[in-house]
Amino acid sequence: MPPSRLWPGDVVRGGAVGLRTRPLRAVLSALGIAIGIAAMVAVVGISSSSRADLDRTLASLGTNLLTVSPGRTMSGAEATLPARAEDMVARIGPVSSVSAIGEVADADVYRTDRIPEAETGGLATYAVRTDLRAATGARLRDGSWLNAATARYPAVVLGATAAERLGVGRASPEVRVLVGGEWFTVVGILEPAPLAPELDLAALVGWPAAQDRLGFDGRATTVYTRSPDADVAAVRAVLGATANPAAPNEVEVSRPSDALAAKRAAGEAFTRLLLGVGAVALLVGGVGVANTMVISVLERRAEIGLRRALGATRGHVRTQFLTESLLLSALGGAAGTLLGAAVSAAYAAAQGWPPVLPAWALAGALVAPLTLGTLAGLYPAHHASRLPPTTALAAP
């Protein structure tokens, strides 16, 4: 007699028999795979969306910002920048823009004169140049920035966090805050400044007004510089010696975008941890599929014996149960991929990030459950194919 043959359509229909006859068990088994895949896809998607938002932020703010601030002296005391540090930095050839802020000592900020002096809210007062926004990339949320006129009068721009702590929601001629014992009109409120976070907790007043009204000594505490991307490394190398030629070791030079990059690296490490958790969930789902397939073989011994008696070969039986395992894992993988992508997109939308899901994550979400289904179904399929027809038919 010619050997029996199993067409591809028959393989799929035969493999789906166990899923159709035991739908609840199939759903519960596929659920483990779905949870693992959903967790991995969601973690990768959220991490990629966050990284894309950071890259977009850096692209808009620029990575060519360098800052100069005083460090420590040899004795460990706090150093200061020379009075002409800002002018000397401006003489560096590739530097395209320079601006500065100077911390005003003993100039606490209060919403009213009825607040106890000890409750400063952690806010600082800085004298600022009128070109500071261009150098730092800071954006206005409301009102206007200081100009040549308002910088000479009691006008103040509040950082994002400072405005929140002071309870100031808008800039207006009627809104005033107490700075260093004098009333200043709030003319503007900034958005959070990623590259200059010190501005978020500050009240910013004009350089001349700070000298005339608050006793500011005129020394810069932070100098901001911009230069072409190709020249950033060269400028960084000479910035300390230029700002303070007498003691370059007492100057700290930093690149604010490096802090954001470090933050991204920390986020990637956390992502790897979450991926590990998702992999464990996926492994548990695979064990559940293997367990389901073993029980299915034991429950369907009579069916296996009948098929063998009617001419099915061991290979046919092995293929049927392996196909069932693959279908079970594929259904769980597809459901998990859709769920993970939906969670990732929803979270990105809630955070205002661009939704990003790498192609390799989608490919992995499809390959992983199929591989797991193959491994989980190998032993049950092999065991089913080795059952003698007579023994299988005699099974209850």
CSV table of all heavy atoms in Angstrom, one decimal, residues 94-128:
chain,number,residue,atom,x,y,z
A,94,PRO,N,36.5,79.9,18.2
A,94,PRO,CA,35.3,79.2,17.7
A,94,PRO,C,34.1,79.5,18.5
A,94,PRO,O,33.0,79.2,18.1
A,94,PRO,CB,35.7,77.7,17.9
A,94,PRO,CG,37.2,77.7,18.0
A,94,PRO,CD,37.6,79.0,18.7
A,95,VAL,N,34.2,80.2,19.7
A,95,VAL,CA,33.0,80.4,20.5
A,95,VAL,C,32.1,81.4,19.8
A,95,VAL,O,32.5,82.5,19.4
A,95,VAL,CB,33.4,81.0,21.9
A,95,VAL,CG1,32.2,81.5,22.6
A,95,VAL,CG2,34.1,79.9,22.7
A,96,SER,N,30.8,81.0,19.6
A,96,SER,CA,29.9,81.9,18.9
A,96,SER,C,29.0,82.7,19.8
A,96,SER,O,28.5,83.8,19.3
A,96,SER,CB,29.0,81.0,18.0
A,96,SER,OG,28.3,80.0,18.8
A,97,SER,N,28.8,82.3,21.0
A,97,SER,CA,28.0,83.1,21.9
A,97,SER,C,28.4,82.8,23.4
A,97,SER,O,28.8,81.7,23.7
A,97,SER,CB,26.5,82.9,21.7
A,97,SER,OG,26.2,81.5,22.1
A,98,VAL,N,28.3,83.8,24.2
A,98,VAL,CA,28.7,83.7,25.6
A,98,VAL,C,27.6,84.5,26.4
A,98,VAL,O,27.2,85.6,26.0
A,98,VAL,CB,30.0,84.3,25.9
A,98,VAL,CG1,30.4,84.3,27.4
A,98,VAL,CG2,31.1,83.7,25.1
A,99,SER,N,27.2,83.9,27.5
A,99,SER,CA,26.3,84.6,28.5
A,99,SER,C,26.7,84.1,29.9
A,99,SER,O,27.5,83.2,30.0
A,99,SER,CB,24.9,84.3,28.2
A,99,SER,OG,24.0,85.1,28.9
A,100,ALA,N,26.1,84.7,30.9
A,100,ALA,CA,26.5,84.3,32.2
A,100,ALA,C,25.3,84.6,33.2
A,100,ALA,O,24.4,85.4,32.9
A,100,ALA,CB,27.7,85.1,32.7
A,101,ILE,N,25.4,84.0,34.4
A,101,ILE,CA,24.6,84.3,35.5
A,101,ILE,C,25.5,84.5,36.7
A,101,ILE,O,26.6,83.9,36.8
A,101,ILE,CB,23.5,83.2,35.8
A,101,ILE,CG1,24.2,81.9,36.1
A,101,ILE,CG2,22.6,83.0,34.6
A,101,ILE,CD1,23.3,80.8,36.6
A,102,GLY,N,25.0,85.2,37.7
A,102,GLY,CA,25.8,85.4,38.9
A,102,GLY,C,24.8,85.3,40.1
A,102,GLY,O,23.8,85.9,40.1
A,103,GLU,N,25.2,84.4,41.0
A,103,GLU,CA,24.3,84.2,42.2
A,103,GLU,C,24.4,85.4,43.1
A,103,GLU,O,25.5,85.9,43.5
A,103,GLU,CB,24.7,83.0,43.0
A,103,GLU,CG,23.8,82.6,44.1
A,103,GLU,CD,24.1,81.3,44.7
A,103,GLU,OE1,25.1,80.6,44.3
A,103,GLU,OE2,23.3,80.9,45.6
A,104,VAL,N,23.2,85.9,43.5
A,104,VAL,CA,23.1,87.0,44.4
A,104,VAL,C,23.0,86.5,45.8
A,104,VAL,O,22.0,85.9,46.2
A,104,VAL,CB,21.9,87.9,44.0
A,104,VAL,CG1,21.9,89.2,44.9
A,104,VAL,CG2,22.0,88.4,42.6
A,105,ALA,N,23.9,86.8,46.6
A,105,ALA,CA,23.9,86.3,48.0
A,105,ALA,C,22.9,87.1,48.8
A,105,ALA,O,22.6,88.3,48.6
A,105,ALA,CB,25.3,86.5,48.7
A,106,ASP,N,22.3,86.4,49.8
A,106,ASP,CA,21.3,87.0,50.8
A,106,ASP,C,20.2,87.7,50.1
A,106,ASP,O,19.8,88.8,50.4
A,106,ASP,CB,22.0,88.0,51.7
A,106,ASP,CG,23.2,87.4,52.5
A,106,ASP,OD1,23.0,86.2,52.9
A,106,ASP,OD2,24.2,88.0,52.6
A,107,ALA,N,19.7,87.1,49.0
A,107,ALA,CA,18.5,87.6,48.3
A,107,ALA,C,17.5,86.5,48.1
A,107,ALA,O,17.2,86.0,47.1
A,107,ALA,CB,19.0,88.2,46.9
A,108,ASP,N,16.8,86.2,49.3
A,108,ASP,CA,15.8,85.2,49.3
A,108,ASP,C,14.6,85.7,48.6
A,108,ASP,O,14.3,86.9,48.5
A,108,ASP,CB,15.5,84.7,50.7
A,108,ASP,CG,16.7,84.0,51.4
A,108,ASP,OD1,17.4,83.4,50.7
A,108,ASP,OD2,16.9,84.2,52.6
A,109,VAL,N,13.8,84.7,48.1
A,109,VAL,CA,12.6,85.0,47.3
A,109,VAL,C,11.3,84.6,48.0
A,109,VAL,O,11.3,83.4,48.5
A,109,VAL,CB,12.6,84.4,45.9
A,109,VAL,CG1,11.5,84.9,45.0
A,109,VAL,CG2,14.0,84.7,45.2
A,110,TYR,N,10.4,85.5,48.2
A,110,TYR,CA,9.1,85.2,48.9
A,110,TYR,C,7.9,85.7,48.1
A,110,TYR,O,8.0,86.6,47.3
A,110,TYR,CB,9.1,85.8,50.3
A,110,TYR,CG,10.2,85.4,51.2
A,110,TYR,CD1,11.4,86.2,51.3
A,110,TYR,CD2,10.2,84.2,51.9
A,110,TYR,CE1,12.4,85.8,52.1
A,110,TYR,CE2,11.2,83.8,52.7
A,110,TYR,CZ,12.4,84.7,52.8
A,110,TYR,OH,13.4,84.3,53.6
A,111,ARG,N,6.8,85.0,48.3
A,111,ARG,CA,5.6,85.4,47.6
A,111,ARG,C,5.0,86.7,48.2
A,111,ARG,O,4.5,87.6,47.5
A,111,ARG,CB,4.5,84.3,47.6
A,111,ARG,CG,3.3,84.6,46.8
A,111,ARG,CD,3.6,84.7,45.3
A,111,ARG,NE,2.4,84.9,44.5
A,111,ARG,CZ,1.9,86.1,44.2
A,111,ARG,NH1,2.4,87.2,44.7
A,111,ARG,NH2,0.8,86.2,43.5
A,112,THR,N,5.1,86.8,49.6
A,112,THR,CA,4.6,88.0,50.3
A,112,THR,C,5.6,88.2,51.4
A,112,THR,O,6.4,87.4,51.8
A,112,THR,CB,3.2,87.8,50.8
A,112,THR,OG1,3.2,86.9,51.9
A,112,THR,CG2,2.2,87.3,49.8
A,113,ASP,N,5.4,89.4,52.1
A,113,ASP,CA,6.2,89.7,53.2
A,113,ASP,C,5.7,89.1,54.5
A,113,ASP,O,6.3,89.4,55.6
A,113,ASP,CB,6.3,91.2,53.4
A,113,ASP,CG,5.0,91.9,53.5
A,113,ASP,OD1,3.9,91.2,53.4
A,113,ASP,OD2,4.9,93.1,53.6
A,114,ARG,N,4.7,88.3,54.4
A,114,ARG,CA,4.2,87.6,55.6
A,114,ARG,C,4.7,86.2,55.8
A,114,ARG,O,4.3,85.5,56.8
A,114,ARG,CB,2.6,87.6,55.5
A,114,ARG,CG,2.0,88.9,55.5
A,114,ARG,CD,0.5,88.9,55.4
A,114,ARG,NE,-0.1,90.2,55.3
A,114,ARG,CZ,-0.4,91.0,56.3
A,114,ARG,NH1,-0.1,90.5,57.6
A,114,ARG,NH2,-0.9,92.2,56.2
A,115,ILE,N,5.5,85.8,54.9
A,115,ILE,CA,6.1,84.4,55.0
A,115,ILE,C,7.3,84.4,55.9
A,115,ILE,O,8.2,85.3,55.8
A,115,ILE,CB,6.5,83.9,53.6
A,115,ILE,CG1,5.2,83.8,52.7
A,115,ILE,CG2,7.2,82.5,53.7
A,115,ILE,CD1,5.5,83.4,51.3
A,116,PRO,N,7.5,83.5,56.8
A,116,PRO,CA,8.7,83.5,57.7
A,116,PRO,C,10.0,83.4,56.9
A,116,PRO,O,10.0,82.7,55.8
A,116,PRO,CB,8.5,82.2,58.5
A,116,PRO,CG,7.0,81.9,58.5
A,116,PRO,CD,6.5,82.4,57.2
A,117,GLU,N,11.0,84.1,57.4
A,117,GLU,CA,12.3,84.2,56.6
A,117,GLU,C,12.9,82.8,56.4
A,117,GLU,O,13.6,82.6,55.4
A,117,GLU,CB,13.2,85.1,57.4
A,117,GLU,CG,12.8,86.5,57.4
A,117,GLU,CD,13.9,87.4,58.0
A,117,GLU,OE1,15.0,86.9,58.3
A,117,GLU,OE2,13.7,88.6,58.1
A,118,ALA,N,12.7,81.9,57.3
A,118,ALA,CA,13.3,80.5,57.2
A,118,ALA,C,12.7,79.7,56.1
A,118,ALA,O,13.3,78.8,55.6
A,118,ALA,CB,13.2,79.8,58.5
A,119,GLU,N,11.5,80.0,55.6
A,119,GLU,CA,10.8,79.3,54.6
A,119,GLU,C,11.2,79.8,53.2
A,119,GLU,O,10.4,80.5,52.6
A,119,GLU,CB,9.3,79.3,54.8
A,119,GLU,CG,8.9,78.6,56.1
A,119,GLU,CD,7.4,78.5,56.3
A,119,GLU,OE1,6.7,78.9,55.4
A,119,GLU,OE2,7.0,78.2,57.5
A,120,THR,N,12.4,79.6,52.8
A,120,THR,CA,12.9,80.1,51.5
A,120,THR,C,12.4,79.3,50.3
A,120,THR,O,12.5,79.8,49.1
A,120,THR,CB,14.4,80.2,51.5
A,120,THR,OG1,14.9,78.9,51.6
A,120,THR,CG2,14.9,81.0,52.6
A,121,GLY,N,12.0,78.1,50.5
A,121,GLY,CA,11.6,77.2,49.4
A,121,GLY,C,12.7,76.7,48.6
A,121,GLY,O,12.5,76.1,47.5
A,122,GLY,N,13.9,76.9,49.0
A,122,GLY,CA,15.1,76.4,48.3
A,122,GLY,C,15.3,77.2,47.0
A,122,GLY,O,16.0,76.7,46.1
A,123,LEU,N,14.8,78.4,46.9
A,123,LEU,CA,15.0,79.2,45.7
A,123,LEU,C,16.2,80.1,45.8
A,123,LEU,O,16.6,80.6,46.8
A,123,LEU,CB,13.7,80.1,45.5
A,123,LEU,CG,12.4,79.3,45.4
A,123,LEU,CD1,11.2,80.3,45.2
A,123,LEU,CD2,12.4,78.2,44.4
A,124,ALA,N,16.8,80.4,44.6
A,124,ALA,CA,18.0,81.2,44.6
A,124,ALA,C,17.7,82.4,43.7
A,124,ALA,O,16.7,82.4,42.9
A,124,ALA,CB,19.2,80.5,44.0
A,125,THR,N,18.5,83.5,43.8
A,125,THR,CA,18.3,84.7,42.9
A,125,THR,C,19.6,84.8,42.1
A,125,THR,O,20.7,84.7,42.7
A,125,THR,CB,18.1,85.9,43.8
A,125,THR,OG1,16.9,85.8,44.6
A,125,THR,CG2,18.0,87.1,42.9
A,126,TYR,N,19.4,85.0,40.8
A,126,TYR,CA,20.6,85.1,39.9
A,126,TYR,C,20.5,86.4,39.1
A,126,TYR,O,19.4,86.8,38.6
A,126,TYR,CB,20.7,84.0,38.9
A,126,TYR,CG,21.1,82.6,39.5
A,126,TYR,CD1,20.2,81.6,39.5
A,126,TYR,CD2,22.3,82.5,40.1
A,126,TYR,CE1,20.5,80.3,40.0
A,126,TYR,CE2,22.7,81.2,40.6
A,126,TYR,CZ,21.8,80.2,40.6
A,126,TYR,OH,22.1,79.0,41.1
A,127,ALA,N,21.6,87.1,39.0
A,127,ALA,CA,21.7,88.2,38.0
A,127,ALA,C,22.0,87.6,36.7
A,127,ALA,O,22.9,86.7,36.6
A,127,ALA,CB,22.8,89.2,38.4
A,128,VAL,N,21.3,88.0,35.6
A,128,VAL,CA,21.5,87.3,34.3
A,128,VAL,C,21.7,88.4,33.3
A,128,VAL,O,21.3,89.5,33.4
A,128,VAL,CB,20.2,86.5,34.0
A,128,VAL,CG1,20.0,85.4,35.0
A,128,VAL,CG2,19.0,87.4,33.8
